[in-house]
Amino acid sequence: MAKNRIKELRNSTTPKITLKQLSEKLKEKGLSFTDSQLSYYENGTRLPRSKVADDFWIALSEIFQVDVPYLKGDSNFKNNEQVYEIFSFIGTDKEKDIKLSDDEWNELFSRGINFIENTPVTSVEEIKKFETTLNAVQSINKNKGISPKDTEGEKLTDLMLPRYNMLSSNYKMKVNDYIEDLLKAQTIVREDELPWNQ
């Protein structure tokens, strides 16, 4: 049975959370589990019954403030905020501090592709997040040789146009102003260096 991170997360909190305390926290969320049941679950010797399993994992993810896949041991990243923080380091001085395995780079790349393909962009803040993610994914693709698995060779930058078209005219003007400001900030801009031409 796959190893989850319940015990690891319990022991990494300050102060540490005992199984009894965890049982009480779950009770506050309307779920009743004894500490001995929780011990079986965290050691992977048993799983919660299927009709309460989703509620169990969601409640634990809220208690530990991590995503369910990370809690279950299916992801290397605690949450989307951690992934986006890494994306924001790529292309900066902080990139040298990123220490990831090949599996983690692959997962990071996949999560970036998923964000680019599936997240509606409806505000200037989301456009900036989209641009940061896009640049990070392109950098990972270039520097790590990781390629998109399900875009069938489509340029990642081609995904920007549909999202831009989803914006209201007011937001489109803000995006245009933002792009102009970015271009003004660069002392020399070569056409082949622009993100949409890479």
Side-chain angles (χ1 to χ4, degrees):
M1 209 173 287
K3 183 74 174 159
N4 61 62
R5 289 189 168 94
I6 300 172
K7 191 172 197 171
E8 173 190 328
L9 290 166
R10 274 196 316 105
N11 292 329
S12 65
T13 59
T14 307
K16 292 179 182 179
I17 298 174
T18 66
L19 286 171
K20 185 172 176 54
Q21 290 169 326
L22 186 56
S23 175
E24 289 166 5
K25 288 179 180 287
L26 287 167
K27 201 168 282 184
E28 290 170 12
K29 295 186 172 288
L31 298 170
S32 181
F33 295 97
T34 66
D35 23 334
S36 61
Q37 284 176 303
L38 293 175
S39 177
Y40 287 131
Y41 301 156
E42 78 175 9
N43 290 318
T45 52
R46 290 188 191 168
L47 291 173
R49 292 187 322 261
S50 58
K51 67 180 187 178
V52 295
D54 287 346
D55 293 337
F56 171 76
W57 292 111
I58 289 167
L60 283 181
S61 75
E62 290 168 357
I63 290 167
F64 294 119
Q65 298 179 339
V66 297
D67 290 345
V68 171
Y70 179 81
L71 179 63
K72 288 176 144 184
D74 296 332
S75 171
N76 297 301
F77 303 100
K78 290 183 179 181
N79 49 41
N80 288 332
E81 289 74 28
Q82 183 188 22
V83 170
Y84 182 70
E85 182 181 34
I86 296 170
F87 284 155
S88 70
F89 289 170
I90 293 174
T92 72
D93 292 341
K94 293 182 180 180
E95 184 172 358
K96 67 182 180 311
D97 299 327
I98 303 172
K99 307 289 185 228
L100 299 175
S101 69
D102 288 345
D103 284 346
E104 289 168 330
W105 279 115
N106 278 305
E107 182 186 347
L108 196 66
F109 183 83
S110 295
R111 287 180 75 147
I113 293 286
N114 186 56
F115 177 85
I116 291 165
E117 290 180 336
N118 299 309
T119 305
V121 178
T122 56
S123 69
V124 171
E125 185 179 323
E126 288 169 344
I127 284 284
K128 289 178 184 177
K129 200 169 189 175
F130 181 88
E131 181 185 31
T132 298
T133 302
L134 180 67
N135 289 337
V137 165
Q138 288 177 321
S139 179
I140 294 168
N141 173 247
K142 181 179 177 184
N143 299 327
K144 300 288 178 188
I146 302 169
S147 300
K149 292 182 173 73
D150 41 9
T151 56
E152 296 176 6
E154 179 183 20
K155 276 181 123 183
L156 297 176
T157 47
D158 291 345
L159 299 168
M160 289 179 77
L161 187 59
R163 280 162 177 71
Y164 177 80
N165 289 333
M166 289 168 55
L167 298 172
S168 68
S169 57
N170 186 34
Y171 276 124
K172 282 181 183 175
M173 286 173 48
K174 288 182 181 180
V175 171
N176 293 339
D177 291 343
Y178 174 66
I179 291 171
E180 281 183 33
D181 289 343
L182 284 176
L183 295 177
K184 284 178 193 170
Q186 298 179 50
T187 52
I188 300 170
V189 181
R190 293 194 350 232
E191 192 172 305
D192 62 347
E193 290 178 338
L194 295 173
W196 45 86
N197 287 333
Q198 292 181 358

